[in-house]
Amino acid sequence: MKRHLLTIALCAAVSAGAQAQTAGGGISAQMLQQLKQSYQETPSDKAIRNAIGSNDIRALALNQDNLKAMDTHFSIRVDSKGITDQKSSGRCWLFTGLNIMRAKAIAKYDLPTFEFSQNYLFFYDQLEKANLFLQGMIDTADKAIDDQMVSWLFQHPLSDGGTFCGVADLAMKYGLVPKDVMPETNSSDNTSRMASLISEKLREFGLELRDMKGKRAADIQAKKTEQLQTIYRMLALNLGVPPTEFDFTRRNAKGEPVEVEHHTPMTFLQKYGDTGLLTNYVMLMNDPTREYYKTYQINYDRHTYDGKDWTYLNLPIDEIKEMAIASLKDNTAMYFSCDVGKFANNQRGLLDINNYDYGSLMGTTFGMDKKQRIQTFQSMSSHAITLMAVDLDQSGKPTKWMVENSWGPASGYQGHLIMTDEWFNEYMFRLVVETKYVPARLQEMFKQKPTLLPAWDPMFAEED
């Protein structure tokens, strides 16, 4: 009987709460009073509030039961030499793409620690993206300035983020050079100030091009070329002038000089890089919001105007794992992207969904699955890293994975991140693999006409 009366009282309270809203759905004084009364600070709540008041939430939510010794053994691992550092820039996509080629060059020529120049390709990335924006202004000049595509372009005139497709298009167009031929500068290590200034200039130029609507196409293109001259000068002042030829002293694993070679960026690509970037690789995605075994293309998600919007095949996570394992068994690392900030213990270098117990700390639950997180923009691909190790159990199933990061050797586990297989399932998004590791039936699927997604789709997110 008492339970029945309590139920009636609770239902009445809920009903009253519903009526407490204002007519427009706002918080009324009555609703606010109800919200205040719902929080009865217990001694444990007060202790938590005091703790949060002077501590990082992550530190308080750290799951002490998950701090046992971390297993760093991997049954399959691709060797690498030296951890790179993108500093305060969003160029993870570029570092990762070059690290894939770097590993192959080191193995093929028995090189010591070696890096391609990230700054060299970054120069052309920024120049090409500036042209992509300006040409976009020309192409959409007949649309209103508040059109969704025009608005999106003005919101995104320039970015230092990107994807593997940018590495492929840029390297095949401009070649590669070793790092000491075009080293980093303060502006390449710290891109925000330069990007802000160039973005402002591009928006100004975009308005100028829109004002030329109706004029001769040749005159509009001449104006765009003039504008790009200004951008080129700004890039040269910040990043240096890209070399057109250079000498490279090849050394063996002991650091001893073997041969002095003369190169152009294209001949260096042909010898030390990968000339099959545009033909021998495919991008795979695990996006449970869309139909599997279909290809998708993101509009305007490219680095060069004359490049191709990146296309991916959407697959269940287990099929992606099979290709990743096949590549690693063949001593070939891969371009891998994920939502790296979720449940990351950066001090240990461990990505594990059990690292933090936010639910117990906040007295609630966080119950969205991967599909729901994507749909609500709670989770998306945020960082590109090099997948280079997996640990398999006796039945051949993965238990954990390891990636080579580009945040310097002091970050994480000796410059690496270790992720549990459960974390991989929830926060892995993209994998780029060589076609030889892709089953024929899946390769055939890339021949289908891809579904075109808008530039503002959640999957557009660039890795940085």
Side-chain angles (χ1 to χ4, degrees), residues 121-392:
L121 277 196
F122 182 57
F123 181 102
Y124 287 114
D125 170 68
Q126 298 294 276
L127 183 65
E128 287 281 359
K129 284 177 179 172
N131 179 67
L132 179 64
F133 168 78
L134 294 175
Q135 190 59 46
M137 288 289 101
I138 295 172
D139 294 344
T140 59
D142 60 337
K143 298 181 182 296
I145 197 165
D146 61 353
D147 173 84
Q148 190 169 15
M149 187 71 241
V150 177
S151 296
W152 185 88
L153 285 168
F154 273 119
Q155 290 169 14
H156 304 88
L158 191 73
S159 166
D160 60 358
T163 68
F164 178 84
C165 298
V167 180
D169 281 336
L170 293 165
M172 295 305 294
K173 188 171 184 177
Y174 296 104
L176 299 170
V177 304
K179 188 161 189 169
D180 58 2
V181 170
M182 190 169 177
E184 299 287 276
T185 69
N186 185 269
S187 289
S188 67
D189 283 339
N190 306 274
T191 56
S192 60
R193 181 61 60 193
M194 179 189 75
S196 176
L197 293 172
I198 295 179
S199 292
E200 181 174 354
K201 200 64 187 173
L202 286 173
R203 291 184 173 110
E204 176 188 332
F205 286 160
L207 292 174
E208 291 179 3
L209 291 174
R210 285 179 59 83
D211 288 341
M212 294 183 72
K213 177 185 175 182
K215 294 189 177 181
R216 290 192 320 136
D219 292 337
I220 296 175
Q221 288 298 321
K223 170 58 71 172
K224 188 188 77 168
T225 300
E226 177 187 316
Q227 293 171 342
L228 285 173
Q229 290 172 348
T230 298
I231 301 301
Y232 190 99
R233 182 175 186 274
M234 294 177 73
L235 290 171
L237 293 175
N238 280 275
L239 305 178
V241 179
T244 56
E245 56 182 311
F246 55 91
D247 288 330
F248 172 68
T249 302
R250 180 162 61 89
R251 300 176 182 275
N252 61 24
K254 297 179 179 180
E256 301 165 340
V258 175
E259 182 181 0
V260 177
E261 305 168 351
H262 188 74
H263 284 286
T264 65
M266 292 307 298
T267 63
F268 199 73
L269 164 69
Q270 291 161 7
K271 181 167 183 176
Y272 293 99
D274 189 339
T275 57
L277 291 173
L278 295 175
T279 56
N280 293 340
Y281 293 81
V282 294
M283 183 177 286
L284 311 172
M285 176 76 76
N286 177 243
D287 176 7
T289 70
R290 292 195 168 91
E291 187 177 355
Y292 289 139
Y293 305 108
K294 298 289 185 182
T295 58
Y296 299 86
Q297 192 175 61
I298 310 290
N299 188 28
Y300 250 88
D301 200 349
R302 60 188 189 273
H303 292 237
T304 67
Y305 186 82
D306 50 357
K308 182 182 179 182
D309 292 330
W310 64 266
T311 301
Y312 66 87
L313 177 63
N314 196 31
L315 292 174
I317 194 75
D318 287 339
E319 294 208 43
I320 294 177
K321 289 180 184 179
E322 290 176 4
M323 287 175 273
I325 292 170
S327 182
L328 292 172
K329 283 183 175 179
D330 198 29
N331 201 38
T332 302
M334 288 152 286
Y335 183 106
F336 171 95
S337 70
C338 59
D339 194 353
V340 75
K342 298 295 191 296
F343 295 97
N345 186 327
N346 291 325
Q347 288 184 328
R348 302 182 76 199
L350 178 64
L351 305 178
D352 186 343
I353 60 174
N354 296 312
N355 272 340
Y356 300 97
D357 185 1
Y358 296 112
S360 295
L361 182 67
M362 295 296 176
T364 186
T365 59
F366 298 91
M368 286 193 291
D369 60 22
K370 188 173 186 177
K371 178 179 179 179
Q372 293 168 328
R373 289 194 298 270
I374 294 172
Q375 290 173 325
T376 58
F377 294 87
Q378 174 62 25
S379 182
M380 61 187 68
S381 182
S382 64
H383 186 54
I385 34 189
T386 306
L387 185 61
M388 44 79 70
V390 64
D391 197 33
L392 304 179

Side-chain angles (χ1 to χ4, degrees), residues 70-85:
M70 187 168 63
D71 182 7
T72 59
H73 167 76
F74 286 86
S75 55
I76 301 171
R77 177 171 178 165
V78 179
D79 290 332
S80 63
K81 294 183 179 180
I83 299 297
T84 56
D85 192 349

Side-chain angles (χ1 to χ4, degrees), residues 395-408:
S395 64
K397 299 296 183 182
T399 59
K400 63 180 183 295
W401 307 76
M402 185 162 68
V403 292
E404 177 186 328
N405 205 356
S406 55
W407 293 346

